[in-house]
Amino acid sequence: MPEQRPTTRDGVPEWTGQSAASMMAPPGGSETRPHHRTAGIAATLAAGLLVAACASAPRGLLQTVAPVPDTYKLDMLTATTRAISDDPGVLYDGERGRGVSFSNIVVSIPRNREPGTIQVPRSVPGNPATDFTVSAATSLRKSDLPRWFAAAGGRKRRAFIFVHGFNTPFDRAVFRFAQLAHDSDANAAPILFSWPSRGRLLDYRLDLDNASYSRSDLAEVLMMAARSPAVGEVVVLAHSMGGWLAVEALKQVALKNGGVPAKINNLILASPDLDVGVFRRQIEDMGPRRPRITIFASQNDRALQLSQFLARGATRLGAIDLSREDYQSQLGDLKGITVVDISAIKAGDRVNHDTYASSPEIVQLIGNRLIEGQVITDSDVTGTGTALETVGSAAGLLITAPIRVFDAATTR
């Protein structure tokens, strides 16, 4: 998740939009069709993201604060490849650590807030009555995890793993995941996997290297959850560059184990900054034993527009146009792939890269259907008051509507 910009609504600081996102993309993608963007367009997009990145939240947001009555509490497990920080309230910085460090963090969430928003303290440590704060942070050993899984799994014994994107300090990842897990009303044990993003806009290439550095560790965390007798199923949600990392980690799991374990049954990719052809190859390498995959895409994602320009025209998976037959043909013979076009959704995010978490409708859709292990259907979307379009070569349906869904299963 790219760093958020603090704004105010009714006097309360919030993160309401994405200040930065995937600025570049690895060269050499399989799709290199010509494009007509100019350097001026790229400069305009980059300037907009840089301006938004100028404002920043105070440092040390994870200092613990005594809880107050009438607030929500979210108890999460964090697994990170970041180095431990000596700075109070930072916990983990943007450097690479040795191995995976585990913590149990309890986030206090104020009431009377709009879904999709994160109230950031004006100064640390913050006021739990009005701000997102941390009421407890405890380091864990690997041997402590079975007990945490057993206590947090709940009746449905489900684990919900979140992988953030580019330009995301550890505190931003913690608060974003707390907001998402709470607003989606996920009946699952929340687990944050945080790789060592530097949290700086111009460190895209280093962030990409650090995501690659963390691939084996994420694969290990996924297998730990899948092997736990206290966990019945695992749902993974990955955003932006984290989508590339999540798919790579699952591919590694599949190649090592002859497929992805059945418990890992659902992968959600939000605005994935990933070449379309590379994604197809990753899925083919996984083989038939892999999770269901839902992709949230938007043609209005300004961050991915810039990423596409810098990738010399290689369209990012999170920005595909579902009405184009070439994309339908690339994805149409892959079973279990659903692409949801959310281009028409506006949720206060100027860059349109964070809609999966800032739009109450999409957050509820994630919680009510996807985390519950179900496939999005037209009745689910129209039930939220949002129109739907299903696109598939076999279905032969193409209707103009605010949301479009491409289900690869309909093309077989």
Side-chain angles (χ1 to χ4, degrees):
M1 177 197 74
E3 182 177 341
Q4 306 276 331
R5 53 183 172 81
T7 62
T8 58
R9 183 182 301 177
D10 298 329
V12 180
E14 298 176 324
W15 288 331
T16 58
Q18 209 71 14
S19 68
S22 302
M23 297 285 295
M24 301 172 64
S30 61
E31 181 190 7
T32 56
R33 58 186 180 80
H35 62 92
H36 302 288
R37 297 186 184 279
T38 65
I41 294 176
T44 299
L45 289 170
L49 298 177
L50 284 166
V51 168
C54 290
S56 61
R59 187 172 173 83
L61 290 173
L62 302 184
Q63 292 186 38
T64 57
V65 184
V68 299
D70 201 32
T71 57
Y72 300 107
K73 302 294 185 295
L74 191 129
D75 187 323
M76 74 169 68
L77 172 68
T78 68
T80 182
T81 51
R82 297 173 183 263
I84 297 173
S85 173
D86 294 328
D87 292 346
V90 175
L91 300 186
Y92 300 100
D93 59 29
E95 303 300 322
R96 298 174 185 174
R98 294 186 176 181
V100 183
S101 298
F102 299 97
S103 296
N104 184 191
I105 297 179
V106 180
V107 179
S108 176
I109 302 174
R111 293 182 181 269
N112 301 319
R113 48 173 287 276
E114 295 185 24
T117 61
I118 303 174
Q119 285 68 27
V120 183
R122 295 179 184 273
S123 60
V124 296
N127 179 1
T130 57
D131 306 325
F132 275 60
T133 57
V134 169
S135 55
T138 307
S139 296
L140 298 178
R141 297 182 299 270
K142 190 175 180 179
S143 59
D144 296 325
L145 300 189
R147 184 168 61 252
W148 188 90
F149 281 127
R155 179 176 56 84
K156 294 199 174 182
R157 301 171 58 245
R158 181 183 294 123
F160 179 26
I161 299 178
F162 176 65
V163 186
H164 62 75
F166 159 64
N167 191 23
T168 307
F170 184 71
D171 53 9
R172 314 301 201 274
V174 168
F175 283 169
R176 171 54 80 196
F177 186 36
Q179 172 262 312
L180 179 64
H182 175 267
D183 290 351
S184 65
D185 196 22
N187 186 5
I191 302 171
L192 167 67
F193 183 86
S194 182
W195 50 277
S197 169
R198 296 296 294 273
R200 292 200 291 260
L201 184 66
L202 300 182
D203 281 338
Y204 182 96
R205 290 290 181 178
L206 182 56
D207 268 18
L208 181 60
D209 289 341
N210 285 344
S212 302
Y213 170 83
S214 306
R215 173 174 44 202
S216 295
D217 298 299
L218 176 55
E220 180 184 6
V221 170
L222 291 168
M223 288 303 299
M224 289 172 57
R227 289 173 179 148
S228 171
V231 175
E233 58 183 314
V234 179
V235 178
V236 182
L237 190 156
H239 178 230
S240 193
M241 187 183 289
W244 178 88
L245 172 57
V247 179
E248 277 291 294
L250 284 168
K251 183 183 76 173
Q252 180 168 316
V253 167
L255 293 175
K256 185 176 181 179
N257 298 278
V260 178
K263 281 187 181 181
I264 307 175
N265 60 2
N266 201 349
L267 171 63
I268 307 166
L269 300 176
S271 303
D273 186 5
L274 176 61
D275 178 89
V276 177
V278 170
F279 171 73
R280 179 184 174 86
R281 184 60 181 269
Q282 290 171 315
I283 297 305
E284 291 172 342
D285 288 345
M286 281 188 203
R289 291 180 52 199
R290 55 179 173 78
R292 261 189 325 272
I293 300 175
T294 303
I295 302 165
F296 287 99
S298 173
Q299 298 166 58
N300 300 321
D301 190 319
R302 295 175 62 201
L304 294 185
Q305 289 173 8
L306 182 57
S307 179
Q308 175 180 341
F309 177 84
L310 296 173
R312 297 188 290 276
T315 300
R316 316 320 291 161
L317 181 64
I320 60 174
D321 181 353
L322 290 176
S323 65
R324 288 183 46 170
E325 292 184 2
D326 52 345
Y327 296 133
Q328 293 185 36
S329 64
Q330 284 202 63
L331 300 177
D333 60 349
L334 298 175
K335 289 184 178 180
I337 307 289
T338 301
V339 185
V340 183
D341 186 338
I342 57 174
S343 300
I345 300 295
K346 304 298 180 185
D349 176 4
R350 293 191 300 176
V351 184
N352 297 318
H353 192 59
D354 201 28
T355 306
Y356 78 102
S358 59
S359 164
E361 293 82 8
I362 300 302
V363 169
Q364 292 167 13
L365 189 63
I366 290 173
N368 294 340
R369 297 295 295 181
L370 296 178
I371 296 176
E372 291 292 326
Q374 302 177 51
V375 178
I376 294 177
T377 67
D378 54 354
S379 61
D380 297 310
V381 181
T382 54
T384 67
T386 307
L388 173 93
E389 174 186 355
T390 301
V391 181
S393 58
L397 180 63
L398 187 60
I399 304 172
T400 302
I403 286 186
R404 295 182 294 181
V405 173
F406 171 74
D407 188 344
T410 67
T411 69
R412 298 186 63 85

